[in-house]
Amino acid sequence: MAGVSAAPAPGTVDRRPKQDRSRATRQRLLEAAVSCLAEHGWAGSTVAVVAERAGVSRGAAQHHFPTREDLFTAAVEYVAEERSTALRALFPEGAEDRRVVVEALVDLYTGPLFRAALHLWVAASNEDQLRPRVTELEAKVGRETHRIAVDLLRADESKAGVRETVQGLLDMARGLGLANLLTDDRGRRERVVAQWTHLLEGAL
Amino acid sequence: MAGVSAAPAPGTVDRRPKQDRSRATRQRLLEAAVSCLAEHGWAGSTVAVVAERAGVSRGAAQHHFPTREDLFTAAVEYVAEERSTALRALFPEGAEDRRVVVEALVDLYTGPLFRAALHLWVAASNEDQLRPRVTELEAKVGRETHRIAVDLLRADESKAGVRETVQGLLDMARGLGLANLLTDDRGRRERVVAQWTHLLEGAL
């Protein structure tokens, strides 16, 4: 367990710092796991590689995450939650301009988190051990992203077609993320986002 | 070269059938390669596995495709061309109903070809040998799909925003394909396609 915490000196047990250190170690592992997945893909991502990257002993890593599947699904979930929180914090009062919201939503799909999630999804499509966990994770993250999009776009889902409009927008954002995987697609993406925001305004 | 053709008997050289047999072998290899990639991913897809699946000797496979990269990029290109030809043939006179066209375009992204292409793209994002070839292939297939979409939707790209509307639609189709990777997403997809066809009608 070296790397999680030193053994406390006799009579000076201090539980808080130990928990804090454990939480910090866990967080370092999760962030290293997402970077590793984004850069090297599933085949190049093992608990040992991530532990080294995070500067944590392999034993400590395995204490936190007994299996490779545990580590990488937890990592994508953690980073997705961080991104969701950050996205809501960007618009604490809601946004006046829907284009800014659409751009921020599309940005969710063009960074290292999307690359990491994509590697995990694609690996899960061929690996039986991974598939149920990633399917569940994808549904959870998808629901949360949809909820954020509806709030930030001030979309009234009681109106016919609004729910599907928002869903299609997020599908488009995912497709734009895929188009950005091998090339820098920024210029085209900005023009598509501008036009689809215009279509969206008419529909909401 | 066993499996490509038997040596012709002396004095009875017949070049056509030999070429035909060679073309048929090549085609079997390409189709087997796409199925293999869709089912087993890049890590599980080698020339030897594909040769066995196609019932072709490994030597014959390597005669047609000297490297693994040659085989799999040629396979995705071949099947994408077959799909494009089939899509145009579906609507020889153009289509009256744009929804039917949008459904057919979205279908391009939910079958084995999309799964195979997705595995190739994701592998290319981490493999330097594969990246330039797949980037070029993706651009080529993307341009052709865009051209078909413009024709079948009778979209007038000289009008402002029309080009970006069609591009966004294809990005949405790609995102819907990704959403269909781990679960059968048909029900949701049909509702999204119906709604966005409606928005598209207004924009074209």
Side-chain angles (χ1 to χ4, degrees):
Chain A
M1 297 269 289
V4 172
S5 69
T12 60
V13 175
D14 179 347
R15 295 193 60 80
R16 278 292 306 191
K18 185 177 173 180
Q19 282 177 1
D20 285 354
R21 279 196 300 276
S22 176
R23 199 179 302 123
T25 300
R26 189 182 148 87
Q27 196 169 322
R28 275 215 310 284
L29 285 166
L30 294 171
E31 282 162 3
V34 164
S35 310
C36 185
L37 204 47
E39 285 169 31
H40 306 298
W42 177 248
S45 295
T46 62
V47 177
V49 168
V50 171
E52 197 184 332
R53 187 175 188 129
V56 169
S57 76
R58 194 166 168 178
Q62 274 174 334
H63 166 73
H64 283 278
F65 304 103
T67 71
R68 190 182 178 204
E69 288 78 15
D70 292 332
L71 172 58
F72 289 97
T73 52
V76 168
E77 183 170 3
Y78 168 77
V79 177
E81 278 169 5
E82 293 279 296
R83 291 296 307 262
S84 297
T85 306
L87 188 55
R88 284 197 188 272
L90 267 183
F91 308 103
E93 322 266 300
E96 278 313 296
D97 181 354
R98 282 197 172 118
R99 170 139 174 207
V100 179
V101 174
V102 175
E103 280 170 2
L105 289 168
V106 167
D107 279 349
L108 285 179
Y109 296 90
T110 52
L113 170 62
F114 176 73
R115 295 175 82 93
L118 184 60
H119 282 294
L120 200 64
W121 290 339
V122 167
S125 77
N126 299 313
E127 298 208 13
D128 291 341
Q129 260 186 303
L130 204 52
R131 191 180 302 122
R133 303 183 61 162
V134 175
T135 304
E136 196 188 322
L137 173 62
E138 193 194 348
K140 192 175 162 188
V141 173
R143 276 193 305 271
E144 175 59 10
T145 309
H146 183 84
R147 221 166 5 235
I148 293 177
V150 166
D151 289 351
L152 296 184
L153 292 167
R154 291 166 290 116
D156 177 4
E157 289 199 305
S158 67
K159 276 169 65 185
V162 165
R163 185 173 173 75
E164 289 74 20
T165 300
V166 174
Q167 287 182 333
L169 176 75
L170 293 175
D171 287 310
M172 186 198 70
R174 208 184 290 120
L176 285 170
L178 203 48
N180 198 57
L181 189 64
L182 299 179
T183 48
D184 181 353
D185 192 38
R186 194 178 312 251
R188 188 188 74 94
R189 185 166 65 242
E190 281 171 5
R191 292 189 295 274
V192 170
V193 163
Q195 171 64 6
W196 274 58
T197 304
H198 176 67
L199 297 179
L200 195 74
E201 291 281 4
L204 291 184
Chain B
M1 298 268 291
V4 173
S5 69
T12 60
V13 175
D14 179 347
R15 294 194 58 81
R16 279 290 308 189
K18 184 178 172 179
Q19 283 178 0
D20 285 354
R21 281 196 300 275
S22 175
R23 198 179 302 125
T25 300
R26 189 183 148 86
Q27 196 169 321
R28 277 214 309 283
L29 284 166
L30 293 171
E31 281 162 3
V34 164
S35 310
C36 185
L37 204 47
E39 285 169 31
H40 305 298
W42 177 249
S45 294
T46 62
V47 177
V49 167
V50 170
E52 197 185 333
R53 184 172 190 134
V56 169
S57 75
R58 193 165 167 179
Q62 274 175 333
H63 167 72
H64 283 278
F65 304 102
T67 71
R68 190 183 177 203
E69 288 77 15
D70 291 333
L71 172 59
F72 289 98
T73 52
V76 168
E77 182 169 5
Y78 169 78
V79 177
E81 278 169 4
E82 293 279 295
R83 292 295 308 265
S84 296
T85 307
L87 188 54
R88 286 198 186 270
L90 267 182
F91 307 103
E93 322 265 302
E96 277 312 296
D97 183 353
R98 281 197 173 118
R99 170 139 175 209
V100 180
V101 173
V102 174
E103 281 169 1
L105 288 168
V106 168
D107 279 351
L108 286 179
Y109 297 89
T110 52
L113 170 61
F114 177 73
R115 296 174 80 93
L118 184 60
H119 282 294
L120 200 64
W121 291 338
V122 167
S125 76
N126 299 313
E127 298 209 13
D128 291 340
Q129 259 186 305
L130 204 50
R131 190 181 301 121
R133 303 184 60 163
V134 175
T135 303
E136 195 189 325
L137 173 62
E138 193 194 348
K140 192 176 164 187
V141 172
R143 276 193 305 270
E144 175 61 9
T145 309
H146 183 85
R147 217 159 15 227
I148 294 178
V150 166
D151 288 352
L152 296 184
L153 292 167
R154 291 165 290 118
D156 176 4
E157 289 198 305
S158 67
K159 278 169 65 185
V162 165
R163 184 173 174 77
E164 290 74 20
T165 300
V166 174
Q167 287 182 333
L169 176 73
L170 293 176
D171 286 310
M172 188 190 74
R174 206 183 292 123
L176 286 167
L178 203 48
N180 197 58
L181 188 65
L182 299 179
T183 49
D184 181 353
D185 192 39
R186 194 179 312 251
R188 188 188 74 92
R189 185 167 67 241
E190 281 171 4
R191 292 190 295 275
V192 169
V193 164
Q195 171 63 6
W196 275 93
T197 303
H198 174 67
L199 298 179
L200 198 73
E201 291 282 4
L204 292 183

